[in-house]
Amino acid sequence: MSQFLKNQDPDIYAIIEDELERQTDHLEMIASENFTSPAVMEAMGSVFTNKYAEGYPNKRYYGGCENADRIEQLAVDRACELFGCKFANVQPHSGSQANQGVYQALLKPYDKILGMDLSHGGHLTHGSKVSSSGKTYSSFFYGVEMDGRIDYDRVLDIAKIVEPKLIVCGASAYAREIDFAKFREIADEVGAILFADIAHIAGLVAAGEHPSPFPHCDVVSTTTHKTLRGPRGGMIMTNDEDIAKKINSAIFPGIQGGPLVHVIAAKAVGFGENLKPEWKTYAKQVKANAKVIADVLMKRGYKIVSDGTDNHLVLVSFLDKDFSGKDADAALGNAGITVNKNTVPGETRSPFVTSGIRIGSAALTARGMKEKEFEIISNKIADVLDNIEDSALHAKIKEEMHALAREFVIYHQPTY
Ligand code: DSN
């Protein structure tokens, strides 16, 4: 890191150094996190943070935007090339704001939306009653069956009863492929707009390692920092010019002011990395590593929701155990392995306690770990869960996991 911060504000500098040490030493297995490249971080820390650029390329409300225009246009062009779509809005500050922008563009208050239940793997912004998506619109839900999978016939039955204006497909804790073509059929049958939130799987979609939401979905949102490995932020894409215009107005001036041009620059750098052929190798390895987690934990007697994974995450259920997701999350944290507690189908505990954990492979894969390391780590996860109250064992495993983690640097430019 540069010395400016160290000299000017040693308190903040020290905390950032501590965070670098934490990220280096711990095994980061939260399914929505990743390690972005130094090039992305350099763009994020660039002089574009000084610039106001309300509006869109060549249609700004401020002068001096000629370089911001070039940056944003490059980000848009790269996003469209990456996902094979015609229009992209790269201004949403986050995935939540991207989704809010989609709703604002296409719905009126109290319109009906149908999304995946949060406790079944959906997201707060898919209509949860505590989110503006559930307060502003009339939200209804589909979920997964006891086998942990979406039953598309059931979704159709629910859609026929609800008659939603918009259907949301996409999830935060669903380990199986999402069948966008099936969702299209359902949307067509009930005359709904089809909106895909691919925040979790976007990096796999970009690599051809998960089916694309295009051409099936009318509008698609994503974050750029999960499996895509770019900077923290959001994006909306579509092939429909009319929808694109409405989205642009909904994001600015609808819900946001000036775009974060430094983050847009970093998004462009990230998309540049995603467009390289080597990106496919990373995405394939992410999936292979997640499969190792599922296979090892099943072999060790743990119940994996849907009995495996097609993507970057694994959902482990403790419904048959006398400890909770919260207990497991804490024990694994003490053993140097960071995951998050998660509700599971058939949940009996509160969302703050839960009966499961979600484990992801994207971040450790970005550090260069492969099947061999994931097999070691997954067995250690099982050792911790088998001995959930043995804090001495957790402390011993923590030392081993820190040593393993330190063999794989996080602060390096990837080869793609
Ligand atoms: N917080 C993200 C996740 O963990 O999946 C979704 O917004």
Side-chain angles (χ1 to χ4, degrees), residues 94-380:
S94 71
S96 289
Q97 273 159 295
N99 291 355
Q100 198 187 339
V102 169
Y103 299 137
Q104 170 136 335
L106 304 176
L107 301 174
K108 293 196 198 61
Y110 308 111
D111 275 349
K112 288 187 269 186
I113 64 172
L114 176 62
M116 191 162 179
D117 194 322
L118 181 62
S119 68
H120 286 232
H123 189 254
L124 281 167
T125 59
H126 297 181
S128 165
K129 300 296 178 192
V130 296
S131 136
S132 74
S133 61
K135 292 182 199 282
T136 312
Y137 309 102
S138 305
S139 55
F140 298 85
F141 302 99
Y142 58 86
V144 294
E145 304 305 310
M146 282 311 287
D147 65 0
R149 293 175 186 254
I150 295 169
D151 175 340
Y152 292 89
D153 292 333
R154 282 281 290 264
V155 179
L156 175 60
D157 289 343
I158 296 167
K160 280 180 172 165
I161 295 166
V162 172
E163 297 182 328
K165 174 107 186 265
L166 178 146
I167 295 175
V168 193
C169 55
S172 287
Y174 186 63
R176 294 301 178 177
E177 270 185 6
I178 293 172
D179 192 334
F180 296 115
K182 277 254 165 54
F183 269 111
R184 177 78 266 164
E185 285 171 22
I186 296 166
D188 285 345
E189 190 123 352
V190 299
I193 298 164
L194 184 58
F195 164 37
D197 175 348
I198 61 165
H200 262 266
I201 53 172
L204 305 180
V205 171
E209 289 295 317
H210 186 290
S212 172
F214 293 113
H216 310 292
C217 301
D218 299 300
V219 59
V220 176
S221 73
T222 186
T223 53
T224 46
H225 51 275
K226 296 188 177 94
T227 51
L228 269 181
R229 246 198 111 176
R232 189 162 291 279
M235 171 164 75
I236 307 169
M237 298 167 280
T238 182
N239 279 327
D240 183 308
E241 190 169 0
D242 184 46
I243 290 179
K245 282 185 186 150
K246 288 178 179 165
I247 295 282
N248 284 353
S249 307
I251 292 295
F252 174 81
I255 61 170
Q256 289 188 176
L260 309 177
V261 185
H262 55 306
V263 178
I264 291 173
K267 286 174 183 172
V269 174
F271 298 148
E273 293 176 359
N274 304 143
L275 281 164
K276 298 216 170 121
E278 295 86 345
W279 180 258
K280 291 185 196 303
T281 312
Y282 167 70
K284 268 192 204 319
Q285 191 68 53
V286 166
K287 281 172 64 173
N289 290 344
K291 192 168 176 325
V292 171
I293 304 171
D295 288 349
V296 169
L297 290 180
M298 284 193 289
K299 213 178 288 169
R300 295 282 301 261
Y302 285 91
K303 169 76 189 133
I304 302 299
V305 174
S306 85
D307 299 317
T309 178
D310 296 331
N311 57 27
H312 63 300
L313 68 84
V314 172
L315 199 54
V316 192
S317 169
F318 306 127
L319 280 175
D320 58 343
K321 306 279 178 206
D322 55 11
F323 59 84
S324 67
K326 188 177 175 201
D327 297 331
D329 178 341
L332 288 166
N334 291 335
I337 300 168
T338 312
V339 301
N340 66 278
K341 61 184 180 232
N342 218 97
T343 50
V344 292
E347 185 58 73
T348 52
R349 297 178 170 103
S350 79
F352 195 68
V353 179
T354 81
S355 299
I357 51 170
R358 188 184 65 163
I359 313 178
S361 61
L364 293 187
T365 307
R367 288 178 79 160
M369 294 193 191
K370 297 207 163 94
E371 287 90 338
K372 181 173 148 239
E373 289 77 28
F374 273 80
E375 185 156 353
I376 294 169
I377 295 162
S378 304
N379 273 303
K380 293 296 172 188

